[in-house]
Amino acid sequence: MERCHPLKLFLFLLLSTSFFAGHVAVAGEQFMPDGVLRVCSDPNNLPFSNKKGEGFENKIAELFAQRLGWKLEYIYFPQRMGFIRNTLRFKLPGERFSCDLVMGIPADYDQASPTRPYFHSAYAIVVSNEKATAGISSEAEFLALPKPALESMKIGVQVQSPAALWLMQNGLLEQAVAYPMLNADPEYYAGQIVERDLAGGKIDAVLLWGPIAGFFSGRVNSKPLAVIPLHSVIGNQLDFGIAMGVRQEDKAWKEKVQTLIDDNQAEIRNILTQYHVPLRDQPQTQHLTLTDSMQNKK
């Protein structure tokens, strides 16, 4: 199955009533790490993390370890359903927890105790900066393209995501090229939609979570690409705050992590910028109704 970032799981399963139906074990007394920063991570999930330490979560973890003067260690597990249970909350009898910090979770995630958000981003549409979409730099400009141009497009989207609802709200569902949110191939990653299908001309645009859209668009050299963040509308949130997560009971450790975030916000933002993450100061809701949104098609 595809290795998915926790945020992706949260977003992709928004419409599912069975989201995180499982339970995790109840932890015991509070624990404060000392001398080793143990991070729960995915071994192959760029731009977030990988075993080579090439993701932005890896770089932020390195920054924290340096500030603390601690050794940095990772516990790797594919980030899909069961990730928290098998990492942050995994503990054999008589032993310590496997790891103590998840570097990226939704700000309202309930399977761990989230810090305050350390960045905000949004779903984005990636288009080729040529032909019909040359010079397009905003969501409004994309939706204002001539009707024949929009109707001829093939737009990649991962099913059961807010992006799929965005297509429906804007009358573009017929243009959708569906991609699964999970994949049986362990080497598959969502960025392939940009690197392979969009760059190769199989599709004309793709809707992806912002950090993925920005990072993989930056790796394409065969054609110019534009990354256009989307705005939330009533009934469809498209921008989200991202936090770090610890165990619910580890309040002192959470305070320490929050201090690290607060004291290093400029460095964190610089790292995210280097990875072409579309950043917003905070989640923004553009107060449009479904009817308002559909007016763009007339």
Side-chain angles (χ1 to χ4, degrees):
M1 299 175 72
E2 179 191 354
R3 297 175 170 93
C4 288
H5 191 270
L7 175 75
K8 289 168 63 181
L9 288 173
F10 174 75
L11 299 176
F12 295 160
L13 301 179
L14 275 174
L15 307 179
S16 172
T17 58
S18 61
F19 177 44
F20 281 125
H23 298 280
V24 295
V26 177
E29 61 184 24
Q30 284 199 48
F31 173 78
M32 172 65 80
D34 184 17
V36 180
L37 178 59
R38 296 177 175 87
V39 174
C40 319
S41 189
D42 189 302
N44 182 29
N45 194 28
L46 289 177
F48 309 102
S49 65
N50 68 6
K51 270 193 172 182
K52 296 180 180 179
E54 296 172 328
F56 66 75
E57 291 180 355
N58 297 116
K59 302 307 178 185
I60 297 171
E62 291 170 10
L63 173 66
F64 283 8
Q66 181 183 28
R67 294 290 189 266
L68 291 165
W70 291 2
K71 180 181 178 182
L72 175 61
E73 293 183 356
Y74 290 96
I75 295 297
Y76 291 109
F77 191 87
Q79 291 192 359
R80 55 173 74 113
M81 291 183 70
F83 175 77
I84 296 295
R85 182 176 63 250
N86 287 287
T87 56
L88 188 66
R89 302 203 70 86
F90 183 76
K91 183 176 182 289
L92 293 173
E95 297 186 7
R96 71 173 321 280
F97 285 102
S98 296
C99 50
D100 307 308
L101 180 63
V102 180
M103 301 301 294
I105 62 172
D108 57 354
Y109 194 63
D110 65 359
Q111 301 301 304
S113 180
T115 63
R116 292 190 295 274
Y118 68 97
F119 78 94
H120 296 86
S121 191
Y123 268 82
I125 185 166
V126 185
V127 298
S128 174
N129 193 16
E130 56 187 11
K131 297 181 181 179
T133 50
I136 297 297
S137 61
S138 71
E139 178 181 357
E141 289 177 351
F142 177 82
L143 293 173
L145 287 170
K147 187 175 180 180
L150 286 173
E151 291 183 343
S152 67
M153 283 188 179
K154 296 178 180 179
I155 304 174
V157 64
Q158 291 177 302
V159 296
Q160 288 185 284
S161 72
L165 182 56
W166 182 89
L167 286 178
M168 184 190 75
Q169 288 176 323
N170 289 287
L172 295 170
L173 204 55
E174 290 297 318
Q175 283 65 55
V177 176
Y179 291 85
M181 61 181 178
L182 298 175
N183 193 294
D185 181 358
E187 299 303 317
Y188 175 84
Y189 55 94
Q192 289 179 351
I193 306 174
V194 174
E195 294 181 319
R196 180 188 61 197
D197 293 357
L198 180 58
K202 182 178 179 180
I203 56 177
D204 304 297
V206 61
L207 293 155
L208 288 168
W209 171 232
I212 299 171
F215 177 75
F216 287 102
S217 294
R219 300 209 312 186
V220 172
N221 297 315
S222 59
K223 64 170 60 179
L225 299 178
V227 179
I228 303 168
L230 303 176
H231 293 86
S232 295
V233 296
I234 294 173
N236 190 20
Q237 184 177 353
L238 290 160
D239 46 1
F240 298 85
I242 304 304
M244 297 184 191
V246 303
R247 287 176 290 275
Q248 301 285 357
E249 65 274 15
D250 291 344
K251 294 178 172 47
W253 173 228
K254 179 179 177 179
E255 290 179 5
K256 194 175 189 71
V257 173
Q258 186 62 63
T259 298
L260 284 166
I261 293 172
D262 295 342
D263 291 349
N264 295 280
Q265 192 60 56
E267 292 89 343
I268 292 171
R269 189 176 185 89
N270 183 53
I271 291 169
L272 295 170
T273 300
Q274 291 176 18
Y275 280 76
H276 307 290
V277 175
L279 296 174
R280 286 193 171 147
D281 291 335
Q282 59 184 7
Q284 302 169 353
T285 300
Q286 194 171 12
H287 295 292
L288 300 178
T289 65
L290 180 58
T291 301
D292 293 331
S293 182
M294 292 298 289
Q295 295 302 314
N296 291 312
K297 296 299 295 171
K298 296 181 179 179

